[in-house]
Amino acid sequence: MHKLRLAILLILFVTLVVACYPPTPMPASSPPVAASGALLETRWQVSALNGVSLSNPEPSLTLIFGGKDTVIGNGGCTGFRGPFVASGSSITLGPLSGGTASCGEATDQKEQDYLEALQAATTYALDGNVLVLLDAGGQEIVRLGRAK
């Protein structure tokens, strides 16, 4: 009986100490970081590629974070897929593989540029319905809007 009372008192004491201990504050200089989970199961449409606005991209360039570590999309002519890893604001896409069909020189070039830009992304910023992919130099390479 004495050991039971001692155990209960010890548990109460530890609970009281933990409850009264102040939480560790976050440093003021730490910027908020988007969780990679925010990308999962989302669909995006490109609005700008390498600094050029695509106001009415036809055919549309898409990006879908479809699973835990897989991305799929359309490069304008053919579909593509590959792995992705996101942690904090860092991201790696690829290697990406797509179809071999040709849709004309201009469309094929746009698709190649898009896939190269995706694979050059090293960081991302997510602000509501806008996803921006940046290269290692911090330059915006792909801007996407959330697709419905």
Side-chain angles (χ1 to χ4, degrees), residues 92-112:
T92 302
L93 296 156
L96 303 174
S97 59
T100 58
S102 178
C103 296
E105 191 174 326
T107 301
D108 292 348
Q109 185 62 53
K110 184 185 288 186
E111 182 169 87
Q112 182 179 347

Side-chain angles (χ1 to χ4, degrees), residues 5-105:
R5 283 187 191 164
L6 186 58
I8 291 172
L9 285 174
L10 182 59
I11 290 171
L12 288 173
F13 176 75
V14 169
T15 303
L16 181 64
V17 168
V18 170
C20 293
Y21 193 79
T24 304
M26 292 296 290
S29 62
S30 294
V33 176
S36 61
L39 295 176
L40 296 179
E41 304 298 330
T42 60
R43 179 179 170 88
W44 303 89
Q45 182 171 351
V46 176
S47 60
L49 178 60
N50 295 321
V52 177
S53 178
L54 305 175
S55 57
N56 290 315
E58 219 22 80
S60 68
L61 305 176
T62 61
L63 182 64
I64 302 167
F65 295 89
K68 183 176 181 180
D69 60 359
T70 303
V71 66
I72 60 175
N74 188 299
C77 179
T78 64
F80 64 86
R81 86 173 19 246
F84 87 94
V85 176
S87 177
S89 63
S90 296
I91 193 165
T92 302
L93 296 156
L96 303 174
S97 59
T100 58
S102 178
C103 296
E105 191 174 326

Side-chain angles (χ1 to χ4, degrees), residues 102-140:
S102 178
C103 296
E105 191 174 326
T107 301
D108 292 348
Q109 185 62 53
K110 184 185 288 186
E111 182 169 87
Q112 182 179 347
D113 292 346
Y114 178 44
L115 294 178
E116 287 175 359
L118 289 175
Q119 293 176 107
T122 59
T123 58
Y124 74 97
L126 181 59
D127 186 13
N129 291 326
V130 177
L131 172 63
V132 177
L133 301 177
L134 305 137
D135 66 13
Q139 295 296 311
E140 179 180 315

